[in-house]
Amino acid sequence: MTRAELLRTINTDDFIWRAPGESKDAPGIALHAGETVTILTYIPSSTMRAILSWQSAGLDIQTIETEGKSEEQAAAILKSNRQNIERMLTGLEIYCALSEQIIDWTWTDPVSGEALAKPHKNPDVFGKLDHTHLSYLAGLVMRAGRNPNPS
């Protein structure tokens, strides 16, 4: 198998962005309709570990419940989840992992409409994306790695 055969270009018409707090049933906006992402389907274990760790941290953060707790109880809950919160806020691991796996794209900036910088070996470009974008891209990488040659 050649390196070219390890690449997979995926249409991103199915990426739907919704404003924070909007229901999943809300229509949303197809921000990257007609655009593509090219992914390296060979996923090193370190990259897979970074993506899975980031995804699980996101799930953990979503389950942090402080409502109705005293200030001390809420502080203790947040302190016990500090590592996951820091991982989600800094994003460095996920930015680096995605920059190794996403070789190219035709994505444009959702606000300006200008082409985004090329992603390969450019972790900084991922810092310009919101959590919805990162989750979508992490999911694409994982699915492409599990099914590198779809029929």
Side-chain angles (χ1 to χ4, degrees):
M1 182 176 270
T2 66
R3 180 173 168 82
E5 292 172 311
L6 292 173
L7 299 179
R8 180 166 167 212
T9 299
I10 302 168
N11 182 295
T12 56
D13 287 347
D14 65 337
F15 175 78
I16 304 297
W17 184 87
R18 291 175 184 82
E22 267 190 329
S23 159
K24 291 196 183 275
D25 298 327
I29 303 166
L31 288 180
H32 299 291
E35 299 175 353
T36 61
V37 173
T38 300
I39 295 173
L40 178 63
T41 60
Y42 170 81
I43 305 176
S45 60
S46 60
T47 298
M48 187 165 298
R49 190 172 44 255
I51 291 172
L52 291 172
S53 175
W54 182 81
Q55 287 174 329
S56 70
L59 294 174
D60 290 346
I61 286 174
Q62 291 172 12
T63 61
I64 296 173
E65 185 61 56
T66 58
E67 192 172 325
K69 306 284 185 194
S70 72
E71 193 171 312
E72 291 84 20
Q73 290 171 321
I77 291 168
L78 293 174
K79 184 177 179 181
S80 70
N81 285 281
R82 181 178 176 179
Q83 186 178 24
N84 287 337
I85 293 169
E86 287 175 354
R87 188 180 304 129
M88 287 297 292
L89 293 177
T90 61
L92 184 58
E93 258 188 317
I94 193 69
Y95 300 166
C96 292
L98 291 174
S99 76
E100 291 296 323
Q101 295 305 125
I102 299 177
I103 304 304
D104 197 10
W105 59 22
T106 61
W107 275 22
T108 54
D109 182 279
V111 178
S112 71
E114 295 176 13
L116 288 174
K118 293 300 181 187
H120 191 232
K121 298 197 182 291
N122 183 7
D124 291 343
V125 74
F126 295 96
K128 296 177 171 94
L129 302 175
D130 70 1
H131 186 270
T132 306
H133 282 86
L134 296 175
S135 293
Y136 177 80
L137 290 170
L140 281 184
V141 167
M142 295 300 283
R143 285 190 300 280
R146 281 194 299 268
N147 187 14
N149 297 309
S151 320

